[in-house]
Amino acid sequence: MQLSLFDLHCDTALRMLSSAKPLYDNPFAVSLAKAAPFERYVQVMALFTPSALSDEDGWAHMIRMWENLCADESVTGKRAHICTDFATASSNSPTLLLALEDARILNRDIRRIDRLYQMGIRIITPLWSGVSCIGGAHDTDEGLSTFGKNAMLRAISIGMIPDISHASERSADAIFELAAHALRPVIASHSNAFAVCPVSRNLRDRQIQCILDTHGVIGINLYTRFLRKDGNADVTDVLRHMEYFLAHGARDSLCLGCDMDGSELPVELSDVSRLPRLAEEMLKQNYSEDLIRAIFFENAYQFAKKYLN
Ligand SMILES: [Zn+2]
């Protein structure tokens, strides 16, 4: 079957900056050349700054990463384009959707939210690890700080999509509340089911329901340790998570958020060119072609058309 791909998360932009390699052809898990077999291809590019940098230095680093991506030969040569409006987008060329991962680099300057929007960033994953000026991540019991709430309120009100991947339960609750007031969706771009693999980065049943209630989307993460606690994961573990989400009403919300170039992947799914292997396994387990297309592309695409314009 002919496949399209809409992947909700990768860390390739950071790799491109640190090793000066292009998006088209590179040794990473994600490249345009490796994704060429897909009929349509939308890739969320997360801009993530390593925790070794201070919040302020991290802001400058993130700007450099963005400039590096905008100056990439595929983007300047129009082989790929950065998209902020999916409702009227007409081009079928590879499409990049920008996300900020770990908003601590706002460094308590709320005006930076508007700057991110001007840069074309439309998804904001406010937390990553520990406690920052934004609030508590998945490995803490802290909620959002006052600054974190104001920043997320601003982000949501100007049309950015809040992402609870990496958030603590309390921070996620605060994000759900802010989004509910604004009648906007909440997503988990790269998280699996806690009931299937109980690690703090995965989604509790209650959180899955909250995302579905907001008409948000959930991206399955291929990181082996979020698929299986012992990390010994293969393609069948991906299906165990999918089945759980599907049994909990996620038919129109389930997507892929592969987390390539930022995590360890099952050998058989080790780069974007190998994802058809996942579709093969789904076919073998009697998933309909419609459902496979929905998870690989259509659910995320319909979401983007509705909420990113
Ligand atoms: Zn992440």
Side-chain angles (χ1 to χ4, degrees), residues 9 101 128 166 190 201:
H9 191 87
E101 185 174 30
W128 192 68
H166 288 274
H190 57 306
R201 273 282 284 102

Side-chain angles (χ1 to χ4, degrees), residues 33 43 54 122 135 151 181 233:
Q43 180 64 59
S54 71
R122 291 294 183 272
H181 276 132

